[in-house]
Amino acid sequence: MDVDLRDLRYLVVVAEEANFTRAAARVFVSQPALSKQIRALERRLGFDLFDRTPRGVTLTAQGAELLPTAREILERWDRAYPRAQALGRPQTLVVGMQTAVGRDLQRRAITRFRASAPDWTVSLRLVGWSDPTAGLGDASSDVGIVWLPIPLDGISTRILRRESRGVMLPEGHPLADRGTIAFTDLLDEPFVALPGAAGPLRDHWLAIDARNGHPVRIGAEASGADETFEAIASGLGVALVAEGNADLYQRPGLMYRPVDGLDPAELAVAWRSEDTRPATALFVDCLTAP
């Protein structure tokens, strides 16, 4: 019986979370899609992996027997794959980004990195918001410049910037004439949201923690900055943005206003904790040096 690594990863995550919804957020898929994949795996195996109850899921005897082996295979693969991948591009460091970074961060870091490691090149890649790990999750990036939180185990981070969160509004919005907007005045506004696969990062930019249970109105979903600001300009909703991004993403027809009542956003550099290559550490140091 052949299974793929995705099957094993889904088995492990569902077993650890004992809940399909939480497990789906960890692997960046929808809950129905994850349930369907587990059912398909069970059909191929010829037995159930989980007992499903209204309170959650528990491993069957067969599932418990397979779980340690699944974990071992994944751990060995996750160690070997980045090393093998690096052999194919031994002198290139891939830096994934969710949005334009600006703030003069990557330019200074690349200049410092090239001066210290002239045999290495840096490849910048923009990753959609459906992957909040900026490519670290599937090892397509060596380093990520990300907004926290990053929902992935085995990741190390350093904070680069802490910035206030404000709101981007369409011109003519009833709140646009205010110098500062209280977040309570935005509770009933429709929001442009990140994809559901973004998990906790989606919740962060919807300010779920500041709503005290008040439901969110989703006016649209967007997988990148251009889609977000087009949706705002079209009147589909508003969106929270970091203060430093207000200048980066100036658009005709849009207005930025500071918002009171929110914790700051945190921009960070992230890398896989098991990646101990000197080039990775050097680039992180180049980013975080004053």
Side-chain angles (χ1 to χ4, degrees):
M1 167 57 62
D2 294 330
V3 297
D4 59 33
L5 290 174
R6 182 183 64 178
D7 292 329
L8 299 181
R9 204 172 300 279
Y10 288 175
L11 165 61
V12 170
V13 172
V14 174
E16 290 176 348
E17 296 294 340
N19 179 282
F20 275 101
T21 300
R22 292 195 300 269
R26 277 184 56 183
V27 293
F28 318 124
V29 299
S30 68
Q31 183 271 326
L34 179 59
S35 297
K36 182 178 179 181
Q37 290 292 335
I38 291 292
R39 282 295 191 192
L41 174 59
E42 290 173 328
R43 286 194 296 271
R44 295 203 305 275
L45 294 174
F47 52 78
D48 287 345
L49 295 167
F50 297 98
D51 289 322
R52 294 149 174 89
T53 71
R55 294 185 177 182
V57 295
T58 58
L59 284 164
T60 63
Q62 294 96 326
E65 177 66 25
L66 289 177
L67 181 61
T69 299
R71 281 196 173 115
E72 180 184 355
I73 291 171
L74 289 171
E75 288 169 1
R76 294 177 65 179
W77 176 263
D78 289 343
R79 287 194 300 268
Y81 177 66
R83 295 195 299 265
Q85 188 181 45
L87 294 175
R89 45 175 173 80
Q91 301 298 317
T92 299
L93 194 78
V94 180
V95 180
M97 303 177 295
Q98 295 166 339
T99 60
V101 177
R103 301 161 178 84
D104 204 30
L105 285 172
Q106 73 263 39
R107 185 192 64 81
R108 289 189 296 110
I110 291 172
T111 299
R112 293 166 174 169
F113 182 80
R114 284 174 172 168
S116 299
D119 293 335
W120 281 76
T121 60
V122 176
S123 175
L124 301 177
R125 60 186 294 259
L126 194 61
V127 181
W129 287 343
S130 59
D131 179 7
T133 74
L136 294 175
D138 62 4
S140 57
S141 297
D142 300 304
V143 176
I145 302 177
V146 300
W147 291 102
L148 299 182
I150 181 169
L152 185 66
D153 297 332
I155 297 296
S156 299
T157 62
R158 288 190 201 169
I159 303 296
L160 299 173
R161 294 286 191 276
R162 287 186 174 90
E163 297 179 356
S164 299
R165 283 181 284 175
V167 65
M168 198 70 79
L169 306 163
E171 281 186 352
H173 190 281
L175 298 175
D177 60 352
R178 300 187 186 182
T180 300
I181 299 171
F183 183 66
T184 52
D185 291 332
L186 294 170
L187 289 176
D188 293 321
E189 291 290 328
F191 272 69
V192 181
L194 274 62
L201 191 63
R202 170 185 166 112
D203 292 347
H204 174 75
W205 290 110
L206 293 173
I208 298 298
D209 60 325
R211 291 179 177 270
N212 295 317
H214 195 285
V216 184
R217 291 181 60 198
I218 303 298
E221 288 191 353
S223 60
D226 288 339
E227 290 181 20
T228 297
F229 297 122
E230 183 64 32
I232 297 171
S234 299
L236 296 178
V238 303
L240 297 178
V241 299
E243 182 180 17
N245 281 359
D247 292 333
L248 282 175
Y249 289 113
Q250 290 186 28
R251 298 286 195 281
L254 299 182
M255 304 183 71
Y256 172 84
R257 291 292 181 265
V259 173
D260 278 339
L262 297 177
D263 291 335
E266 294 180 325
L267 183 67
V269 56
W271 66 99
R272 290 182 297 279
S273 301
E274 63 187 21
D275 183 355
T276 58
R277 291 176 298 163
T280 302
L282 173 62
F283 189 82
V284 170
D285 288 342
C286 290
L287 262 176
T288 55

